[in-house]
Every structure is written in structure tokens, then in C-alpha cells.
Amino acid sequence: MVQPHPWIEGYVRAWNSNDPDDIAALFTEDAVYYTEPYSSPWQGRDDILREWLGRKDKPGEATFEWHPVSVTEDVSVIQGVTTYPDKTYSNLWVIRFAPDGRCREFTEWWMRHDAK
């Protein structure tokens, strides 16, 4: 069974660095990235990079805790919690991999926790 840890670690590293090389290394050239399941995806690594950097978080602004729900050679489902100083989100990620371990399709579901 392939563990998604290296890819997730790379994603979190890219999230915190906003380094274009870190981001680009995660995705195939023709990857698609759905920021919501039924929205139009970011299409291709260049578009993913441009959109990511256009809405980037400040390095270290958020923490991300996660665990795998299902892992196969081709797809991983990850459940996580993203915590910012002023808000928290539950996340569900579906990551489809190319044979070389890079992501060819990424879909995320996110739900904001109620403020109390």
C-alpha cells in the first residue's frame, strides 16, 4: 500500500513556503485542481501555480492536522482540520496520483466550523 505522507508533507511545505518550485513539484503538467467539488477547476500546473499564489496564505498562518481515510496506488482520501488564528475548517481531499507520485487531480471539500 502506498502511503500519501510524502505528497501531503510536500503540500504542507508548499502551503507554508509559497515557493513556486515546491508547488509545481506536486502536480503533473496537465493536473486539475478543484477548490470545490462542482466548481470549474484550475487546469494545468501553470494555472494551479498562478491561482495558488494569487490566494496564498501567509507562511505559518495555518496549521493542518490530517489522517488518511483510504489509500491506494492511484487515489488517496484525506480528512483534515485547518486552523487559522480566527477560523477553523474541516477538510476532505481526494487526490488522484500519476504513476510517478505527482497529483493529476485534486478535489477538496471544506466546511467552516461555527464560531462560538
PDB file of all heavy atoms in Angstrom, residues 14-52:
ATOM      1  N   ALA A  14       4.702  23.357   0.646  1.00  0.00           N
ATOM      2  CA  ALA A  14       4.394  24.364  -0.376  1.00  0.00           C
ATOM      3  C   ALA A  14       3.413  25.405   0.171  1.00  0.00           C
ATOM      4  O   ALA A  14       3.541  26.602  -0.121  1.00  0.00           O
ATOM      5  CB  ALA A  14       3.813  23.674  -1.611  1.00  0.00           C
ATOM      6  N   TRP A  15       2.451  24.970   0.955  1.00  0.00           N
ATOM      7  CA  TRP A  15       1.464  25.856   1.568  1.00  0.00           C
ATOM      8  C   TRP A  15       2.165  26.895   2.437  1.00  0.00           C
ATOM      9  O   TRP A  15       1.808  28.067   2.450  1.00  0.00           O
ATOM     10  CB  TRP A  15       0.535  24.996   2.384  1.00  0.00           C
ATOM     11  CG  TRP A  15      -0.684  25.608   2.987  1.00  0.00           C
ATOM     12  CD1 TRP A  15      -1.048  26.927   3.026  1.00  0.00           C
ATOM     13  CD2 TRP A  15      -1.725  24.894   3.639  1.00  0.00           C
ATOM     14  NE1 TRP A  15      -2.260  27.069   3.664  1.00  0.00           N
ATOM     15  CE2 TRP A  15      -2.701  25.832   4.052  1.00  0.00           C
ATOM     16  CE3 TRP A  15      -1.943  23.556   3.920  1.00  0.00           C
ATOM     17  CZ2 TRP A  15      -3.852  25.468   4.738  1.00  0.00           C
ATOM     18  CZ3 TRP A  15      -3.088  23.196   4.591  1.00  0.00           C
ATOM     19  CH2 TRP A  15      -4.028  24.139   4.994  1.00  0.00           C
ATOM     20  N   ASN A  16       3.202  26.446   3.164  1.00  0.00           N
ATOM     21  CA  ASN A  16       3.900  27.349   4.071  1.00  0.00           C
ATOM     22  C   ASN A  16       5.013  28.150   3.411  1.00  0.00           C
ATOM     23  O   ASN A  16       5.395  29.196   3.917  1.00  0.00           O
ATOM     24  CB  ASN A  16       4.450  26.570   5.271  1.00  0.00           C
ATOM     25  CG  ASN A  16       3.364  26.256   6.266  1.00  0.00           C
ATOM     26  OD1 ASN A  16       2.665  27.146   6.736  1.00  0.00           O
ATOM     27  ND2 ASN A  16       3.195  24.989   6.581  1.00  0.00           N
ATOM     28  N   SER A  17       5.530  27.677   2.292  1.00  0.00           N
ATOM     29  CA  SER A  17       6.626  28.393   1.638  1.00  0.00           C
ATOM     30  C   SER A  17       6.133  29.303   0.522  1.00  0.00           C
ATOM     31  O   SER A  17       6.772  30.317   0.231  1.00  0.00           O
ATOM     32  CB  SER A  17       7.644  27.403   1.063  1.00  0.00           C
ATOM     33  OG  SER A  17       7.118  26.758  -0.095  1.00  0.00           O
ATOM     34  N   ASN A  18       5.033  28.905  -0.144  1.00  0.00           N
ATOM     35  CA  ASN A  18       4.570  29.580  -1.359  1.00  0.00           C
ATOM     36  C   ASN A  18       5.664  29.643  -2.411  1.00  0.00           C
ATOM     37  O   ASN A  18       5.660  30.509  -3.280  1.00  0.00           O
ATOM     38  CB  ASN A  18       4.026  30.981  -1.042  1.00  0.00           C
ATOM     39  CG  ASN A  18       2.759  30.909  -0.230  1.00  0.00           C
ATOM     40  OD1 ASN A  18       1.837  30.192  -0.567  1.00  0.00           O
ATOM     41  ND2 ASN A  18       2.730  31.644   0.871  1.00  0.00           N
ATOM     42  N   ASP A  19       6.583  28.701  -2.341  1.00  0.00           N
ATOM     43  CA  ASP A  19       7.671  28.623  -3.313  1.00  0.00           C
ATOM     44  C   ASP A  19       7.138  27.970  -4.592  1.00  0.00           C
ATOM     45  O   ASP A  19       6.619  26.846  -4.541  1.00  0.00           O
ATOM     46  CB  ASP A  19       8.820  27.805  -2.738  1.00  0.00           C
ATOM     47  CG  ASP A  19       9.991  27.715  -3.686  1.00  0.00           C
ATOM     48  OD1 ASP A  19       9.861  27.047  -4.739  1.00  0.00           O
ATOM     49  OD2 ASP A  19      11.039  28.303  -3.378  1.00  0.00           O
ATOM     50  N   PRO A  20       7.240  28.650  -5.734  1.00  0.00           N
ATOM     51  CA  PRO A  20       6.712  28.083  -6.975  1.00  0.00           C
ATOM     52  C   PRO A  20       7.257  26.692  -7.299  1.00  0.00           C
ATOM     53  O   PRO A  20       6.515  25.849  -7.818  1.00  0.00           O
ATOM     54  CB  PRO A  20       7.127  29.107  -8.035  1.00  0.00           C
ATOM     55  CG  PRO A  20       7.239  30.394  -7.283  1.00  0.00           C
ATOM     56  CD  PRO A  20       7.760  30.002  -5.926  1.00  0.00           C
ATOM     57  N   ASP A  21       8.512  26.431  -6.976  1.00  0.00           N
ATOM     58  CA  ASP A  21       9.080  25.106  -7.246  1.00  0.00           C
ATOM     59  C   ASP A  21       8.453  24.039  -6.357  1.00  0.00           C
ATOM     60  O   ASP A  21       8.204  22.916  -6.810  1.00  0.00           O
ATOM     61  CB  ASP A  21      10.597  25.113  -7.068  1.00  0.00           C
ATOM     62  CG  ASP A  21      11.305  25.928  -8.140  1.00  0.00           C
ATOM     63  OD1 ASP A  21      10.744  26.111  -9.244  1.00  0.00           O
ATOM     64  OD2 ASP A  21      12.422  26.402  -7.858  1.00  0.00           O
ATOM     65  N   ASP A  22       8.187  24.381  -5.083  1.00  0.00           N
ATOM     66  CA  ASP A  22       7.532  23.437  -4.167  1.00  0.00           C
ATOM     67  C   ASP A  22       6.123  23.113  -4.655  1.00  0.00           C
ATOM     68  O   ASP A  22       5.699  21.961  -4.614  1.00  0.00           O
ATOM     69  CB  ASP A  22       7.442  24.020  -2.747  1.00  0.00           C
ATOM     70  CG  ASP A  22       8.771  24.068  -2.016  1.00  0.00           C
ATOM     71  OD1 ASP A  22       9.742  23.440  -2.477  1.00  0.00           O
ATOM     72  OD2 ASP A  22       8.829  24.753  -0.968  1.00  0.00           O
ATOM     73  N   ILE A  23       5.403  24.123  -5.115  1.00  0.00           N
ATOM     74  CA  ILE A  23       4.035  23.923  -5.597  1.00  0.00           C
ATOM     75  C   ILE A  23       4.047  23.099  -6.885  1.00  0.00           C
ATOM     76  O   ILE A  23       3.334  22.105  -7.006  1.00  0.00           O
ATOM     77  CB  ILE A  23       3.337  25.276  -5.827  1.00  0.00           C
ATOM     78  CG1 ILE A  23       3.275  26.077  -4.527  1.00  0.00           C
ATOM     79  CG2 ILE A  23       1.935  25.061  -6.421  1.00  0.00           C
ATOM     80  CD1 ILE A  23       2.958  27.554  -4.711  1.00  0.00           C
ATOM     81  N   ALA A  24       4.860  23.504  -7.837  1.00  0.00           N
ATOM     82  CA  ALA A  24       4.909  22.832  -9.138  1.00  0.00           C
ATOM     83  C   ALA A  24       5.301  21.363  -9.005  1.00  0.00           C
ATOM     84  O   ALA A  24       4.804  20.518  -9.757  1.00  0.00           O
ATOM     85  CB  ALA A  24       5.874  23.563 -10.069  1.00  0.00           C
ATOM     86  N   ALA A  25       6.163  21.041  -8.049  1.00  0.00           N
ATOM     87  CA  ALA A  25       6.633  19.666  -7.881  1.00  0.00           C
ATOM     88  C   ALA A  25       5.502  18.713  -7.492  1.00  0.00           C
ATOM     89  O   ALA A  25       5.618  17.502  -7.684  1.00  0.00           O
ATOM     90  CB  ALA A  25       7.736  19.616  -6.824  1.00  0.00           C
ATOM     91  N   LEU A  26       4.397  19.224  -6.989  1.00  0.00           N
ATOM     92  CA  LEU A  26       3.285  18.396  -6.530  1.00  0.00           C
ATOM     93  C   LEU A  26       2.405  17.882  -7.659  1.00  0.00           C
ATOM     94  O   LEU A  26       1.738  16.863  -7.504  1.00  0.00           O
ATOM     95  CB  LEU A  26       2.396  19.201  -5.578  1.00  0.00           C
ATOM     96  CG  LEU A  26       3.026  19.666  -4.277  1.00  0.00           C
ATOM     97  CD1 LEU A  26       2.106  20.662  -3.590  1.00  0.00           C
ATOM     98  CD2 LEU A  26       3.308  18.475  -3.372  1.00  0.00           C
ATOM     99  N   PHE A  27       2.378  18.576  -8.792  1.00  0.00           N
ATOM    100  CA  PHE A  27       1.359  18.345  -9.808  1.00  0.00           C
ATOM    101  C   PHE A  27       1.945  17.985 -11.168  1.00  0.00           C
ATOM    102  O   PHE A  27       2.995  18.506 -11.563  1.00  0.00           O
ATOM    103  CB  PHE A  27       0.500  19.611  -9.962  1.00  0.00           C
ATOM    104  CG  PHE A  27      -0.207  19.995  -8.702  1.00  0.00           C
ATOM    105  CD1 PHE A  27       0.318  20.954  -7.857  1.00  0.00           C
ATOM    106  CD2 PHE A  27      -1.386  19.370  -8.342  1.00  0.00           C
ATOM    107  CE1 PHE A  27      -0.326  21.301  -6.672  1.00  0.00           C
ATOM    108  CE2 PHE A  27      -2.035  19.705  -7.159  1.00  0.00           C
ATOM    109  CZ  PHE A  27      -1.507  20.680  -6.328  1.00  0.00           C
ATOM    110  N   THR A  28       1.214  17.148 -11.904  1.00  0.00           N
ATOM    111  CA  THR A  28       1.581  16.869 -13.284  1.00  0.00           C
ATOM    112  C   THR A  28       1.289  18.115 -14.120  1.00  0.00           C
ATOM    113  O   THR A  28       0.538  19.006 -13.700  1.00  0.00           O
ATOM    114  CB  THR A  28       0.775  15.678 -13.854  1.00  0.00           C
ATOM    115  OG1 THR A  28      -0.618  16.006 -13.821  1.00  0.00           O
ATOM    116  CG2 THR A  28       1.040  14.402 -13.075  1.00  0.00           C
ATOM    117  N   GLU A  29       1.873  18.166 -15.297  1.00  0.00           N
ATOM    118  CA  GLU A  29       1.690  19.332 -16.167  1.00  0.00           C
ATOM    119  C   GLU A  29       0.220  19.556 -16.520  1.00  0.00           C
ATOM    120  O   GLU A  29      -0.233  20.691 -16.648  1.00  0.00           O
ATOM    121  CB  GLU A  29       2.518  19.160 -17.440  1.00  0.00           C
ATOM    122  CG  GLU A  29       2.547  20.398 -18.301  1.00  0.00           C
ATOM    123  CD  GLU A  29       3.522  20.283 -19.442  1.00  0.00           C
ATOM    124  OE1 GLU A  29       4.652  19.797 -19.220  1.00  0.00           O
ATOM    125  OE2 GLU A  29       3.139  20.693 -20.553  1.00  0.00           O
ATOM    126  N   ASP A  30      -0.555  18.483 -16.651  1.00  0.00           N
ATOM    127  CA  ASP A  30      -1.960  18.592 -17.046  1.00  0.00           C
ATOM    128  C   ASP A  30      -2.936  18.372 -15.881  1.00  0.00           C
ATOM    129  O   ASP A  30      -4.109  18.105 -16.085  1.00  0.00           O
ATOM    130  CB  ASP A  30      -2.271  17.611 -18.170  1.00  0.00           C
ATOM    131  CG  ASP A  30      -2.042  16.160 -17.757  1.00  0.00           C
ATOM    132  OD1 ASP A  30      -1.408  15.908 -16.703  1.00  0.00           O
ATOM    133  OD2 ASP A  30      -2.495  15.260 -18.487  1.00  0.00           O
ATOM    134  N   ALA A  31      -2.465  18.531 -14.657  1.00  0.00           N
ATOM    135  CA  ALA A  31      -3.297  18.298 -13.474  1.00  0.00           C
ATOM    136  C   ALA A  31      -4.492  19.254 -13.434  1.00  0.00           C
ATOM    137  O   ALA A  31      -4.455  20.346 -14.012  1.00  0.00           O
ATOM    138  CB  ALA A  31      -2.464  18.467 -12.206  1.00  0.00           C
ATOM    139  N   VAL A  32      -5.527  18.804 -12.743  1.00  0.00           N
ATOM    140  CA  VAL A  32      -6.673  19.670 -12.461  1.00  0.00           C
ATOM    141  C   VAL A  32      -6.850  19.753 -10.948  1.00  0.00           C
ATOM    142  O   VAL A  32      -6.605  18.783 -10.230  1.00  0.00           O
ATOM    143  CB  VAL A  32      -7.974  19.197 -13.144  1.00  0.00           C
ATOM    144  CG1 VAL A  32      -7.893  19.364 -14.640  1.00  0.00           C
ATOM    145  CG2 VAL A  32      -8.320  17.785 -12.773  1.00  0.00           C
ATOM    146  N   TYR A  33      -7.255  20.932 -10.476  1.00  0.00           N
ATOM    147  CA  TYR A  33      -7.383  21.216  -9.050  1.00  0.00           C
ATOM    148  C   TYR A  33      -8.750  21.851  -8.819  1.00  0.00           C
ATOM    149  O   TYR A  33      -9.003  22.959  -9.253  1.00  0.00           O
ATOM    150  CB  TYR A  33      -6.267  22.174  -8.640  1.00  0.00           C
ATOM    151  CG  TYR A  33      -6.088  22.438  -7.164  1.00  0.00           C
ATOM    152  CD1 TYR A  33      -4.862  22.201  -6.555  1.00  0.00           C
ATOM    153  CD2 TYR A  33      -7.109  22.973  -6.383  1.00  0.00           C
ATOM    154  CE1 TYR A  33      -4.659  22.472  -5.210  1.00  0.00           C
ATOM    155  CE2 TYR A  33      -6.919  23.240  -5.039  1.00  0.00           C
ATOM    156  CZ  TYR A  33      -5.689  22.988  -4.455  1.00  0.00           C
ATOM    157  OH  TYR A  33      -5.498  23.265  -3.123  1.00  0.00           O
ATOM    158  N   TYR A  34      -9.624  21.090  -8.147  1.00  0.00           N
ATOM    159  CA  TYR A  34     -10.951  21.581  -7.814  1.00  0.00           C
ATOM    160  C   TYR A  34     -10.918  22.146  -6.397  1.00  0.00           C
ATOM    161  O   TYR A  34     -10.706  21.402  -5.441  1.00  0.00           O
ATOM    162  CB  TYR A  34     -11.978  20.450  -7.871  1.00  0.00           C
ATOM    163  CG  TYR A  34     -12.239  19.909  -9.250  1.00  0.00           C
ATOM    164  CD1 TYR A  34     -11.466  18.876  -9.774  1.00  0.00           C
ATOM    165  CD2 TYR A  34     -13.269  20.426 -10.030  1.00  0.00           C
ATOM    166  CE1 TYR A  34     -11.711  18.367 -11.039  1.00  0.00           C
ATOM    167  CE2 TYR A  34     -13.520  19.925 -11.295  1.00  0.00           C
ATOM    168  CZ  TYR A  34     -12.735  18.899 -11.790  1.00  0.00           C
ATOM    169  OH  TYR A  34     -12.986  18.402 -13.048  1.00  0.00           O
ATOM    170  N   THR A  35     -11.135  23.452  -6.259  1.00  0.00           N
ATOM    171  CA  THR A  35     -11.171  24.062  -4.925  1.00  0.00           C
ATOM    172  C   THR A  35     -12.499  23.797  -4.229  1.00  0.00           C
ATOM    173  O   THR A  35     -12.616  23.987  -3.026  1.00  0.00           O
ATOM    174  CB  THR A  35     -10.940  25.578  -5.006  1.00  0.00           C
ATOM    175  OG1 THR A  35     -11.945  26.162  -5.844  1.00  0.00           O
ATOM    176  CG2 THR A  35      -9.558  25.881  -5.567  1.00  0.00           C
ATOM    177  N   GLU A  36     -13.492  23.362  -4.998  1.00  0.00           N
ATOM    178  CA  GLU A  36     -14.779  22.892  -4.516  1.00  0.00           C
ATOM    179  C   GLU A  36     -15.213  21.817  -5.503  1.00  0.00           C
ATOM    180  O   GLU A  36     -14.897  21.906  -6.688  1.00  0.00           O
ATOM    181  CB  GLU A  36     -15.809  24.014  -4.481  1.00  0.00           C
ATOM    182  CG  GLU A  36     -15.437  25.146  -3.531  1.00  0.00           C
ATOM    183  CD  GLU A  36     -16.441  26.291  -3.598  1.00  0.00           C
ATOM    184  OE1 GLU A  36     -17.654  26.020  -3.692  1.00  0.00           O
ATOM    185  OE2 GLU A  36     -16.000  27.439  -3.566  1.00  0.00           O
ATOM    186  N   PRO A  37     -15.943  20.806  -5.051  1.00  0.00           N
ATOM    187  CA  PRO A  37     -16.230  19.665  -5.929  1.00  0.00           C
ATOM    188  C   PRO A  37     -16.883  19.995  -7.269  1.00  0.00           C
ATOM    189  O   PRO A  37     -16.580  19.371  -8.265  1.00  0.00           O
ATOM    190  CB  PRO A  37     -17.153  18.790  -5.086  1.00  0.00           C
ATOM    191  CG  PRO A  37     -16.882  19.191  -3.691  1.00  0.00           C
ATOM    192  CD  PRO A  37     -16.472  20.626  -3.724  1.00  0.00           C
ATOM    193  N   TYR A  38     -17.773  20.977  -7.321  1.00  0.00           N
ATOM    194  CA  TYR A  38     -18.517  21.217  -8.552  1.00  0.00           C
ATOM    195  C   TYR A  38     -18.156  22.548  -9.207  1.00  0.00           C
ATOM    196  O   TYR A  38     -18.868  23.007 -10.097  1.00  0.00           O
ATOM    197  CB  TYR A  38     -20.023  21.112  -8.270  1.00  0.00           C
ATOM    198  CG  TYR A  38     -20.356  19.763  -7.685  1.00  0.00           C
ATOM    199  CD1 TYR A  38     -20.635  19.617  -6.338  1.00  0.00           C
ATOM    200  CD2 TYR A  38     -20.322  18.624  -8.475  1.00  0.00           C
ATOM    201  CE1 TYR A  38     -20.911  18.370  -5.791  1.00  0.00           C
ATOM    202  CE2 TYR A  38     -20.591  17.362  -7.940  1.00  0.00           C
ATOM    203  CZ  TYR A  38     -20.883  17.251  -6.605  1.00  0.00           C
ATOM    204  OH  TYR A  38     -21.132  16.012  -6.067  1.00  0.00           O
ATOM    205  N   SER A  39     -17.060  23.140  -8.795  1.00  0.00           N
ATOM    206  CA  SER A  39     -16.617  24.385  -9.410  1.00  0.00           C
ATOM    207  C   SER A  39     -15.738  24.075 -10.618  1.00  0.00           C
ATOM    208  O   SER A  39     -15.297  22.945 -10.809  1.00  0.00           O
ATOM    209  CB  SER A  39     -15.828  25.218  -8.397  1.00  0.00           C
ATOM    210  OG  SER A  39     -14.644  24.539  -8.026  1.00  0.00           O
ATOM    211  N   SER A  40     -15.478  25.075 -11.425  1.00  0.00           N
ATOM    212  CA  SER A  40     -14.530  24.898 -12.527  1.00  0.00           C
ATOM    213  C   SER A  40     -13.138  24.739 -11.930  1.00  0.00           C
ATOM    214  O   SER A  40     -12.753  25.509 -11.047  1.00  0.00           O
ATOM    215  CB  SER A  40     -14.553  26.113 -13.449  1.00  0.00           C
ATOM    216  OG  SER A  40     -15.810  26.225 -14.072  1.00  0.00           O
ATOM    217  N   PRO A  41     -12.393  23.749 -12.392  1.00  0.00           N
ATOM    218  CA  PRO A  41     -11.069  23.519 -11.795  1.00  0.00           C
ATOM    219  C   PRO A  41     -10.016  24.474 -12.346  1.00  0.00           C
ATOM    220  O   PRO A  41     -10.185  25.076 -13.408  1.00  0.00           O
ATOM    221  CB  PRO A  41     -10.751  22.091 -12.225  1.00  0.00           C
ATOM    222  CG  PRO A  41     -11.423  21.967 -13.554  1.00  0.00           C
ATOM    223  CD  PRO A  41     -12.710  22.761 -13.417  1.00  0.00           C
ATOM    224  N   TRP A  42      -8.940  24.576 -11.581  1.00  0.00           N
ATOM    225  CA  TRP A  42      -7.725  25.165 -12.130  1.00  0.00           C
ATOM    226  C   TRP A  42      -7.166  24.080 -13.036  1.00  0.00           C
ATOM    227  O   TRP A  42      -7.036  22.924 -12.630  1.00  0.00           O
ATOM    228  CB  TRP A  42      -6.746  25.495 -11.025  1.00  0.00           C
ATOM    229  CG  TRP A  42      -7.275  26.431  -9.959  1.00  0.00           C
ATOM    230  CD1 TRP A  42      -8.352  27.272 -10.051  1.00  0.00           C
ATOM    231  CD2 TRP A  42      -6.741  26.619  -8.652  1.00  0.00           C
ATOM    232  NE1 TRP A  42      -8.517  27.961  -8.868  1.00  0.00           N
ATOM    233  CE2 TRP A  42      -7.534  27.583  -8.000  1.00  0.00           C
ATOM    234  CE3 TRP A  42      -5.676  26.061  -7.964  1.00  0.00           C
ATOM    235  CZ2 TRP A  42      -7.289  28.010  -6.696  1.00  0.00           C
ATOM    236  CZ3 TRP A  42      -5.420  26.475  -6.671  1.00  0.00           C
ATOM    237  CH2 TRP A  42      -6.214  27.449  -6.050  1.00  0.00           C
ATOM    238  N   GLN A  43      -6.827  24.406 -14.269  1.00  0.00           N
ATOM    239  CA  GLN A  43      -6.421  23.389 -15.234  1.00  0.00           C
ATOM    240  C   GLN A  43      -4.974  23.580 -15.661  1.00  0.00           C
ATOM    241  O   GLN A  43      -4.621  24.616 -16.219  1.00  0.00           O
ATOM    242  CB  GLN A  43      -7.338  23.429 -16.456  1.00  0.00           C
ATOM    243  CG  GLN A  43      -8.749  23.073 -16.087  1.00  0.00           C
ATOM    244  CD  GLN A  43      -9.649  22.902 -17.296  1.00  0.00           C
ATOM    245  OE1 GLN A  43      -9.306  23.263 -18.399  1.00  0.00           O
ATOM    246  NE2 GLN A  43     -10.802  22.320 -17.072  1.00  0.00           N
ATOM    247  N   GLY A  44      -4.170  22.587 -15.369  1.00  0.00           N
ATOM    248  CA  GLY A  44      -2.752  22.597 -15.718  1.00  0.00           C
ATOM    249  C   GLY A  44      -1.903  23.181 -14.605  1.00  0.00           C
ATOM    250  O   GLY A  44      -2.356  24.015 -13.816  1.00  0.00           O
ATOM    251  N   ARG A  45      -0.670  22.709 -14.554  1.00  0.00           N
ATOM    252  CA  ARG A  45       0.248  23.127 -13.486  1.00  0.00           C
ATOM    253  C   ARG A  45       0.455  24.636 -13.462  1.00  0.00           C
ATOM    254  O   ARG A  45       0.495  25.245 -12.395  1.00  0.00           O
ATOM    255  CB  ARG A  45       1.576  22.384 -13.631  1.00  0.00           C
ATOM    256  CG  ARG A  45       2.484  22.587 -12.441  1.00  0.00           C
ATOM    257  CD  ARG A  45       3.700  21.695 -12.469  1.00  0.00           C
ATOM    258  NE  ARG A  45       4.347  21.691 -13.756  1.00  0.00           N
ATOM    259  CZ  ARG A  45       4.831  20.605 -14.349  1.00  0.00           C
ATOM    260  NH1 ARG A  45       4.749  19.436 -13.763  1.00  0.00           N
ATOM    261  NH2 ARG A  45       5.411  20.683 -15.517  1.00  0.00           N
ATOM    262  N   ASP A  46       0.561  25.281 -14.629  1.00  0.00           N
ATOM    263  CA  ASP A  46       0.773  26.738 -14.660  1.00  0.00           C
ATOM    264  C   ASP A  46      -0.415  27.477 -14.056  1.00  0.00           C
ATOM    265  O   ASP A  46      -0.241  28.437 -13.303  1.00  0.00           O
ATOM    266  CB  ASP A  46       1.035  27.220 -16.088  1.00  0.00           C
ATOM    267  CG  ASP A  46       2.374  26.748 -16.631  1.00  0.00           C
ATOM    268  OD1 ASP A  46       3.257  26.358 -15.832  1.00  0.00           O
ATOM    269  OD2 ASP A  46       2.541  26.771 -17.869  1.00  0.00           O
ATOM    270  N   ASP A  47      -1.649  27.037 -14.378  1.00  0.00           N
ATOM    271  CA  ASP A  47      -2.847  27.658 -13.820  1.00  0.00           C
ATOM    272  C   ASP A  47      -2.924  27.406 -12.315  1.00  0.00           C
ATOM    273  O   ASP A  47      -3.257  28.318 -11.541  1.00  0.00           O
ATOM    274  CB  ASP A  47      -4.086  27.111 -14.535  1.00  0.00           C
ATOM    275  CG  ASP A  47      -5.341  27.912 -14.250  1.00  0.00           C
ATOM    276  OD1 ASP A  47      -5.254  29.146 -14.061  1.00  0.00           O
ATOM    277  OD2 ASP A  47      -6.429  27.302 -14.242  1.00  0.00           O
ATOM    278  N   ILE A  48      -2.609  26.190 -11.894  1.00  0.00           N
ATOM    279  CA  ILE A  48      -2.599  25.864 -10.458  1.00  0.00           C
ATOM    280  C   ILE A  48      -1.629  26.781  -9.730  1.00  0.00           C
ATOM    281  O   ILE A  48      -1.961  27.366  -8.688  1.00  0.00           O
ATOM    282  CB  ILE A  48      -2.249  24.374 -10.227  1.00  0.00           C
ATOM    283  CG1 ILE A  48      -3.371  23.485 -10.750  1.00  0.00           C
ATOM    284  CG2 ILE A  48      -1.961  24.103  -8.748  1.00  0.00           C
ATOM    285  CD1 ILE A  48      -3.014  22.011 -10.827  1.00  0.00           C
ATOM    286  N   LEU A  49      -0.452  26.925 -10.267  1.00  0.00           N
ATOM    287  CA  LEU A  49       0.564  27.779  -9.643  1.00  0.00           C
ATOM    288  C   LEU A  49       0.079  29.229  -9.559  1.00  0.00           C
ATOM    289  O   LEU A  49       0.173  29.868  -8.502  1.00  0.00           O
ATOM    290  CB  LEU A  49       1.864  27.679 -10.444  1.00  0.00           C
ATOM    291  CG  LEU A  49       3.082  28.392  -9.907  1.00  0.00           C
ATOM    292  CD1 LEU A  49       3.448  27.918  -8.516  1.00  0.00           C
ATOM    293  CD2 LEU A  49       4.256  28.175 -10.840  1.00  0.00           C
ATOM    294  N   ARG A  50      -0.460  29.758 -10.625  1.00  0.00           N
ATOM    295  CA  ARG A  50      -0.935  31.148 -10.667  1.00  0.00           C
ATOM    296  C   ARG A  50      -2.074  31.361  -9.649  1.00  0.00           C
ATOM    297  O   ARG A  50      -2.064  32.326  -8.881  1.00  0.00           O
ATOM    298  CB  ARG A  50      -1.388  31.506 -12.075  1.00  0.00           C
ATOM    299  CG  ARG A  50      -1.869  32.923 -12.251  1.00  0.00           C
ATOM    300  CD  ARG A  50      -2.216  33.287 -13.686  1.00  0.00           C
ATOM    301  NE  ARG A  50      -3.042  32.287 -14.365  1.00  0.00           N
ATOM    302  CZ  ARG A  50      -2.572  31.382 -15.258  1.00  0.00           C
ATOM    303  NH1 ARG A  50      -1.304  31.370 -15.583  1.00  0.00           N
ATOM    304  NH2 ARG A  50      -3.392  30.516 -15.815  1.00  0.00           N
ATOM    305  N   GLU A  51      -3.042  30.451  -9.644  1.00  0.00           N
ATOM    306  CA  GLU A  51      -4.181  30.595  -8.733  1.00  0.00           C
ATOM    307  C   GLU A  51      -3.761  30.433  -7.270  1.00  0.00           C
ATOM    308  O   GLU A  51      -4.226  31.166  -6.399  1.00  0.00           O
ATOM    309  CB  GLU A  51      -5.278  29.585  -9.086  1.00  0.00           C
ATOM    310  CG  GLU A  51      -5.940  29.847 -10.418  1.00  0.00           C
ATOM    311  CD  GLU A  51      -6.792  31.107 -10.438  1.00  0.00           C
ATOM    312  OE1 GLU A  51      -7.182  31.614  -9.371  1.00  0.00           O
ATOM    313  OE2 GLU A  51      -7.078  31.596 -11.550  1.00  0.00           O
ATOM    314  N   TRP A  52      -2.897  29.453  -7.009  1.00  0.00           N
ATOM    315  CA  TRP A  52      -2.405  29.229  -5.639  1.00  0.00           C
ATOM    316  C   TRP A  52      -1.738  30.500  -5.123  1.00  0.00           C
ATOM    317  O   TRP A  52      -2.044  30.979  -4.036  1.00  0.00           O
ATOM    318  CB  TRP A  52      -1.426  28.066  -5.664  1.00  0.00           C
ATOM    319  CG  TRP A  52      -0.803  27.659  -4.360  1.00  0.00           C
ATOM    320  CD1 TRP A  52      -0.222  28.457  -3.423  1.00  0.00           C
ATOM    321  CD2 TRP A  52      -0.678  26.328  -3.876  1.00  0.00           C
ATOM    322  NE1 TRP A  52       0.262  27.704  -2.390  1.00  0.00           N
ATOM    323  CE2 TRP A  52      -0.004  26.395  -2.639  1.00  0.00           C
ATOM    324  CE3 TRP A  52      -1.057  25.089  -4.372  1.00  0.00           C
ATOM    325  CZ2 TRP A  52       0.300  25.257  -1.896  1.00  0.00           C
ATOM    326  CZ3 TRP A  52      -0.747  23.961  -3.621  1.00  0.00           C
ATOM    327  CH2 TRP A  52      -0.084  24.045  -2.397  1.00  0.00           C
TER     328      TRP A  52
END
